[in-house]
Amino acid sequence: AIVRECPRVIAKQIILEYEWLGTMVHAKFYAGIFFDGWKCGGALAFCVGGGAAGVNMHMQFGLQADEIAYLARGACTYWTPVGTASKLIAYGLNIAKRKGLKMAIAYADTDAGEIGTVYQATNWICIGRGNSTKQMVHPKTGRAYDQKLSWNLAFKTGHKITRGQARQKLLQEGFVERDTNPKWRYIYILAEGKEREAIYNRIAHLVVPYPKRVKDSSEPPVVLTGEGGATPTHTLQSNIS
């Protein structure tokens, strides 16, 4: 299998069908893993800059916002072999590095039962849990959408309404706003040499041991989700993170 950059339309097809959030983002670049030279078995979406991973998060690493890649979405199809997600992430990071990015960040979503097993398998650094954020819950399906939902709604209208107005519209339609569980945060330092050492020294006090499951159960290596971690249930076989 070969990992290479791919068009958004290909990544979107994979992510919308197999990623547990079931939503797509407008990313800076996308990476896919291709079998037999053409069949895409998984995809990643990397956002860069613009507060993608948090408005001021880059400051604690001593970097510029456009030097950090945020692994926002990712998924593998049901038919991919064990190890697909790990290879996809590893080579996806190589693509980010070639673009001059200094660090990557990803999240393991505890609401989805994720602990970030695939990040652990690919040697990311865990820096503990972040802060709780808001999510919107669909009134009929009970499906939870992250806080970008109101922004996406405003975007679709060509910003004829503000994000705040979009939020109010969702609430009027019956969506319920609630706090999320704090996500596990993982970083991967792409810089080398003294720059790599300097970045690590800035976050050394945040580093924690990898979280483990209470029971002896683990996520298959093919798992990787955009927000981080893997979904519980049978979709573990198809999701990334």
Side-chain angles (χ1 to χ4, degrees):
I2 301 171
V3 177
R4 62 174 182 264
E5 282 194 70
C6 67
R8 184 178 190 274
V9 64
I10 293 178
K12 182 179 179 180
Q13 291 175 357
I14 299 292
I15 291 170
L16 288 183
E17 183 170 358
Y18 295 102
E19 204 270 328
W20 87 276
L21 285 173
T23 59
M24 189 54 174
V25 294
H26 289 273
K28 185 71 173 180
F29 64 96
Y30 308 88
I33 184 165
F34 295 85
F35 295 79
D36 299 324
W38 65 275
K39 192 174 184 180
C40 186
L44 304 175
F46 287 93
C47 295
V48 178
V55 177
N56 297 313
M57 179 169 286
H58 61 282
M59 298 176 65
Q60 71 181 118
F61 304 117
L63 296 171
Q64 299 298 315
D66 60 3
E67 293 178 320
I68 299 177
Y70 167 38
L71 179 49
R73 292 289 189 277
C76 287
T77 64
Y78 69 91
W79 51 263
T80 52
V82 171
T84 297
S86 295
K87 179 170 183 174
L88 176 57
I89 291 177
Y91 282 78
L93 290 173
N94 285 340
I95 293 173
K97 185 175 182 178
R98 291 198 297 270
K99 291 180 177 293
L101 295 159
K102 304 294 180 64
M103 196 186 79
I105 186 166
Y107 296 90
D109 197 336
T110 53
D111 282 336
E114 302 167 354
I115 59 171
T117 300
V118 76
Y119 301 135
Q120 298 177 22
T122 47
N123 298 316
W124 291 56
I125 300 168
C126 184
I127 57 171
R129 296 193 185 202
N131 297 321
S132 177
T133 58
K134 298 291 184 181
Q135 64 182 189
M136 288 287 190
V137 181
H138 194 283
K140 294 182 179 179
T141 65
R143 177 178 169 182
Y145 295 83
D146 66 27
Q147 59 184 346
K148 300 183 189 70
L149 181 61
S150 56
W151 187 92
N152 290 336
L153 179 59
F155 179 84
K156 288 180 179 179
T157 66
H159 294 292
K160 293 180 180 179
I161 62 174
T162 65
R163 183 173 181 175
Q165 290 171 329
R167 173 179 170 274
Q168 288 301 318
K169 186 176 187 301
L170 291 170
L171 292 174
Q172 290 170 4
E173 292 176 356
F175 278 80
V176 176
E177 188 175 62
R178 70 183 184 191
D179 293 328
T180 63
N181 291 323
K183 298 178 177 65
W184 289 105
R185 300 175 298 170
Y186 287 86
I187 66 167
Y188 195 99
I189 303 174
L190 299 169
E192 296 181 343
K194 291 184 177 179
E195 189 173 25
R196 174 187 179 86
E197 183 179 353
I199 294 172
Y200 182 82
N201 288 338
R202 292 189 188 100
I203 55 90
H205 65 289
L206 299 173
V207 177
V208 299
Y210 285 152
K212 301 298 179 184
R213 298 194 183 282
V214 176
K215 295 182 179 180
D216 186 17
S217 63
S218 59
E219 300 163 1
V222 296
V223 176
L224 158 72
T225 66
E227 293 285 300
T231 37
T233 74
H234 69 282
T235 53
L236 273 177
Q237 299 296 331
S238 58
N239 287 352
I240 297 182
S241 183

